[in-house]
PDB file of all heavy atoms in Angstrom:
ATOM      1  N   ALA A 407      39.369  96.945  68.139  1.00 94.00           N
ATOM      2  CA  ALA A 407      39.728  98.288  67.661  1.00 94.00           C
ATOM      3  C   ALA A 407      38.769  99.369  68.164  1.00 94.00           C
ATOM      4  O   ALA A 407      39.065 100.563  68.068  1.00 94.00           O
ATOM      5  CB  ALA A 407      39.760  98.303  66.135  1.00 94.00           C
ATOM      6  N   THR A 408      37.631  98.974  68.683  1.00 96.00           N
ATOM      7  CA  THR A 408      36.649  99.954  69.156  1.00 96.00           C
ATOM      8  C   THR A 408      37.285 100.909  70.167  1.00 96.00           C
ATOM      9  O   THR A 408      37.946 100.467  71.104  1.00 96.00           O
ATOM     10  CB  THR A 408      35.481  99.239  69.872  1.00 96.00           C
ATOM     11  OG1 THR A 408      35.230  98.007  69.211  1.00 96.00           O
ATOM     12  CG2 THR A 408      34.246 100.113  69.918  1.00 96.00           C
ATOM     13  N   VAL A 409      37.070 102.206  69.972  1.00 93.00           N
ATOM     14  CA  VAL A 409      37.596 103.186  70.923  1.00 93.00           C
ATOM     15  C   VAL A 409      36.473 103.614  71.865  1.00 93.00           C
ATOM     16  O   VAL A 409      35.391 104.021  71.428  1.00 93.00           O
ATOM     17  CB  VAL A 409      38.170 104.439  70.213  1.00 93.00           C
ATOM     18  CG1 VAL A 409      38.720 105.434  71.241  1.00 93.00           C
ATOM     19  CG2 VAL A 409      39.260 104.038  69.224  1.00 93.00           C
ATOM     20  N   PHE A 410      36.743 103.477  73.155  1.00 94.00           N
ATOM     21  CA  PHE A 410      35.786 103.900  74.185  1.00 94.00           C
ATOM     22  C   PHE A 410      36.365 105.100  74.929  1.00 94.00           C
ATOM     23  O   PHE A 410      37.579 105.309  74.936  1.00 94.00           O
ATOM     24  CB  PHE A 410      35.548 102.778  75.199  1.00 94.00           C
ATOM     25  CG  PHE A 410      35.013 101.503  74.594  1.00 94.00           C
ATOM     26  CD1 PHE A 410      35.871 100.481  74.201  1.00 94.00           C
ATOM     27  CD2 PHE A 410      33.640 101.327  74.423  1.00 94.00           C
ATOM     28  CE1 PHE A 410      35.386  99.305  73.649  1.00 94.00           C
ATOM     29  CE2 PHE A 410      33.149 100.149  73.881  1.00 94.00           C
ATOM     30  CZ  PHE A 410      34.023  99.134  73.484  1.00 94.00           C
ATOM     31  N   ASN A 411      35.505 105.849  75.576  1.00 91.00           N
ATOM     32  CA  ASN A 411      35.970 106.864  76.527  1.00 91.00           C
ATOM     33  C   ASN A 411      35.240 106.633  77.843  1.00 91.00           C
ATOM     34  O   ASN A 411      34.023 106.427  77.856  1.00 91.00           O
ATOM     35  CB  ASN A 411      35.688 108.286  76.023  1.00 91.00           C
ATOM     36  CG  ASN A 411      36.111 109.316  77.059  1.00 91.00           C
ATOM     37  OD1 ASN A 411      35.374 109.627  77.997  1.00 91.00           O
ATOM     38  ND2 ASN A 411      37.314 109.820  76.909  1.00 91.00           N
ATOM     39  N   ALA A 412      36.007 106.657  78.913  1.00 90.00           N
ATOM     40  CA  ALA A 412      35.391 106.509  80.227  1.00 90.00           C
ATOM     41  C   ALA A 412      35.677 107.736  81.076  1.00 90.00           C
ATOM     42  O   ALA A 412      36.821 108.162  81.197  1.00 90.00           O
ATOM     43  CB  ALA A 412      35.924 105.265  80.925  1.00 90.00           C
ATOM     44  N   MET A 413      34.642 108.328  81.610  1.00 83.00           N
ATOM     45  CA  MET A 413      34.784 109.402  82.588  1.00 83.00           C
ATOM     46  C   MET A 413      34.902 108.691  83.933  1.00 83.00           C
ATOM     47  O   MET A 413      33.943 108.110  84.434  1.00 83.00           O
ATOM     48  CB  MET A 413      33.525 110.277  82.545  1.00 83.00           C
ATOM     49  CG  MET A 413      33.525 111.386  83.550  1.00 83.00           C
ATOM     50  SD  MET A 413      34.656 112.698  83.102  1.00 83.00           S
ATOM     51  CE  MET A 413      33.615 113.628  81.975  1.00 83.00           C
ATOM     52  N   LEU A 414      36.123 108.641  84.460  1.00 81.00           N
ATOM     53  CA  LEU A 414      36.370 107.715  85.556  1.00 81.00           C
ATOM     54  C   LEU A 414      36.212 108.346  86.926  1.00 81.00           C
ATOM     55  O   LEU A 414      35.456 107.883  87.760  1.00 81.00           O
ATOM     56  CB  LEU A 414      37.775 107.137  85.418  1.00 81.00           C
ATOM     57  CG  LEU A 414      37.963 106.295  84.157  1.00 81.00           C
ATOM     58  CD1 LEU A 414      39.425 106.049  83.883  1.00 81.00           C
ATOM     59  CD2 LEU A 414      37.212 104.989  84.282  1.00 81.00           C
ATOM     60  N   LEU A 415      36.985 109.368  87.181  1.00 86.00           N
ATOM     61  CA  LEU A 415      37.060 109.895  88.536  1.00 86.00           C
ATOM     62  C   LEU A 415      37.082 111.414  88.471  1.00 86.00           C
ATOM     63  O   LEU A 415      37.299 112.007  87.422  1.00 86.00           O
ATOM     64  CB  LEU A 415      38.352 109.408  89.209  1.00 86.00           C
ATOM     65  CG  LEU A 415      38.499 107.896  89.382  1.00 86.00           C
ATOM     66  CD1 LEU A 415      39.933 107.533  89.715  1.00 86.00           C
ATOM     67  CD2 LEU A 415      37.570 107.378  90.458  1.00 86.00           C
ATOM     68  N   ASN A 416      36.869 112.028  89.627  1.00 91.00           N
ATOM     69  CA  ASN A 416      37.022 113.478  89.741  1.00 91.00           C
ATOM     70  C   ASN A 416      36.009 114.241  88.895  1.00 91.00           C
ATOM     71  O   ASN A 416      36.307 115.335  88.431  1.00 91.00           O
ATOM     72  CB  ASN A 416      38.439 113.894  89.289  1.00 91.00           C
ATOM     73  CG  ASN A 416      39.281 114.358  90.458  1.00 91.00           C
ATOM     74  OD1 ASN A 416      39.036 113.948  91.583  1.00 91.00           O
ATOM     75  ND2 ASN A 416      40.229 115.216  90.198  1.00 91.00           N
ATOM     76  N   SER A 417      34.848 113.662  88.663  1.00 87.00           N
ATOM     77  CA  SER A 417      33.868 114.370  87.851  1.00 87.00           C
ATOM     78  C   SER A 417      32.821 115.097  88.704  1.00 87.00           C
ATOM     79  O   SER A 417      32.002 115.829  88.178  1.00 87.00           O
ATOM     80  CB  SER A 417      33.196 113.412  86.863  1.00 87.00           C
ATOM     81  OG  SER A 417      32.712 112.283  87.545  1.00 87.00           O
ATOM     82  N   ASP A 418      32.874 114.916  90.021  1.00 90.00           N
ATOM     83  CA  ASP A 418      31.940 115.617  90.913  1.00 90.00           C
ATOM     84  C   ASP A 418      32.535 116.993  91.248  1.00 90.00           C
ATOM     85  O   ASP A 418      33.454 117.115  92.056  1.00 90.00           O
ATOM     86  CB  ASP A 418      31.749 114.786  92.188  1.00 90.00           C
ATOM     87  CG  ASP A 418      30.836 115.461  93.216  1.00 90.00           C
ATOM     88  OD1 ASP A 418      30.737 116.712  93.214  1.00 90.00           O
ATOM     89  OD2 ASP A 418      30.227 114.733  94.019  1.00 90.00           O
ATOM     90  N   GLU A 419      32.012 118.022  90.610  1.00 92.00           N
ATOM     91  CA  GLU A 419      32.657 119.334  90.683  1.00 92.00           C
ATOM     92  C   GLU A 419      32.578 119.953  92.072  1.00 92.00           C
ATOM     93  O   GLU A 419      33.470 120.689  92.478  1.00 92.00           O
ATOM     94  CB  GLU A 419      32.025 120.272  89.651  1.00 92.00           C
ATOM     95  CG  GLU A 419      32.316 119.799  88.240  1.00 92.00           C
ATOM     96  CD  GLU A 419      32.867 120.892  87.352  1.00 92.00           C
ATOM     97  OE1 GLU A 419      32.198 121.945  87.258  1.00 92.00           O
ATOM     98  OE2 GLU A 419      33.954 120.703  86.779  1.00 92.00           O
ATOM     99  N   HIS A 420      31.510 119.651  92.786  1.00 95.00           N
ATOM    100  CA  HIS A 420      31.404 120.190  94.140  1.00 95.00           C
ATOM    101  C   HIS A 420      32.527 119.626  95.005  1.00 95.00           C
ATOM    102  O   HIS A 420      33.229 120.342  95.725  1.00 95.00           O
ATOM    103  CB  HIS A 420      30.035 119.859  94.730  1.00 95.00           C
ATOM    104  CG  HIS A 420      29.867 120.372  96.118  1.00 95.00           C
ATOM    105  ND1 HIS A 420      29.644 121.714  96.378  1.00 95.00           N
ATOM    106  CD2 HIS A 420      29.965 119.752  97.312  1.00 95.00           C
ATOM    107  CE1 HIS A 420      29.597 121.881  97.689  1.00 95.00           C
ATOM    108  NE2 HIS A 420      29.789 120.716  98.277  1.00 95.00           N
ATOM    109  N   ALA A 421      32.724 118.313  94.895  1.00 96.00           N
ATOM    110  CA  ALA A 421      33.762 117.649  95.692  1.00 96.00           C
ATOM    111  C   ALA A 421      35.154 118.120  95.291  1.00 96.00           C
ATOM    112  O   ALA A 421      36.005 118.391  96.145  1.00 96.00           O
ATOM    113  CB  ALA A 421      33.649 116.136  95.525  1.00 96.00           C
ATOM    114  N   VAL A 422      35.386 118.238  93.995  1.00 97.00           N
ATOM    115  CA  VAL A 422      36.727 118.650  93.544  1.00 97.00           C
ATOM    116  C   VAL A 422      37.018 120.079  94.014  1.00 97.00           C
ATOM    117  O   VAL A 422      38.136 120.386  94.425  1.00 97.00           O
ATOM    118  CB  VAL A 422      36.864 118.496  92.020  1.00 97.00           C
ATOM    119  CG1 VAL A 422      38.209 119.033  91.534  1.00 97.00           C
ATOM    120  CG2 VAL A 422      36.737 117.019  91.626  1.00 97.00           C
TER     121      VAL A 422
END
Side-chain angles (χ1 to χ4, degrees):
T408 324
V409 180
F410 301 93
N411 177 277
M413 178 73 84
L414 296 165
L415 298 165
N416 250 26
S417 51
D418 177 334
E419 294 230 305
H420 180 75
V422 175

